[in-house]
Amino acid sequence: MTIDLAAFARALPKAELHLHLEGTLEPELKFALAERNGIALAESTVEEVRATYDFTDLTSFLAVYYPAMGVLQTARDFEDLAWAYLTRAAADGVRHVEMFFDPQAHTSRGVPFADVIGGYRRAAVRAQAELGVSAELILCFLRDFSAEFAMATLMEALPYRAWIVGVGLDSDERGNPPEKFAAVFARAKQEGFLLTMHCDIDQDGSIDHIRQVIEEIGVDRIDHGTNVVEDPALVSAVRERGLGLTCCPSSNSFVTESMKADEIVQLMREGVRVTLNSDDPAYFGAYVAENYVLLAEHAGLEPADLVTLARNSFEASWLTPARKAAFLAELDAFAEEQGVARG
């Protein structure tokens, strides 16, 4: 039986673990929110907005990314943004998602923390009820702000502890190593949050940063982290600890010269829990199912390999054991129905 790879990838039950809600702001919604909030934009068409997406590295991406968030003003705006993503995710076979959000990008311009998380939370609850999609929130600190601001944001988040599954670290990695936030993450762990940190691809000090997050911070997962292939001892540590790596092929190809397909596949073959995700899909042009297809086509993967990647996504998630087992059973049933050997 010949399998339509795109259709298979889209229907494949999966979790998405590396998704920035602010990175799902499609131009059409940007215009709608600007009109709602009386904001004048520099661009007048969708094509003009997309023409600004000329990224050569992480820094050039962030220079476009943060200003676009200015259209997000109210709890309703944040709910609409998350709902638009969750609807798209459901159509892509996503059964569970752990979504990053950047409160400091909003509170630093006067938007109340309560409005940010309140809007996102309403969309997450609605997604479970109306779409059958399980959704959790991960609060990310912006690493190019101070550790003191991060700690203050953590304190502001504590009343909403039940709505936040974990904390992460993102934004510009240059000069902002993981150890800068060691005390913040230690306090977050004490408060019961799970931990993850971005170790973006091909950064100055990538290997040392990966070592820091494993040995000093003690994270539960690593975002990106593909440069770990450069150090076999660290690969062994990641595998032995069962740490997931949340890889993003499409965004990799925008900010570096490749999607890191060879490295992702190598790690998968070596038994590391690599997962595929869309990162900031409105900017990089590929939601999660498309990332599965892009990697499969580039690396010559078979449907069974995609099942392995989907299995990794559930195993690397922060679901409870019972919920994780239920999603894995759903994945196994799908693979059997499609005539694909268990990944």
Side-chain angles (χ1 to χ4, degrees), residues 3 23 28 40 52 78 107 180 188 219 255 280 315 328 333 337:
I3 291 180
E28 294 84 354
T52 67
F78 292 101
T107 58
K180 172 182 173 181
V219 296
V255 299
D280 301 281
E315 290 181 338
L328 288 170
E337 179 183 285

Side-chain angles (χ1 to χ4, degrees), residues 12-15 292 305-314 331:
L12 182 68
K14 62 183 74 66
Y292 274 74
D305 296 315
L306 301 191
V307 172
T308 295
L309 291 164
R311 174 170 292 279
N312 286 349
S313 74
F314 289 119
L331 174 62

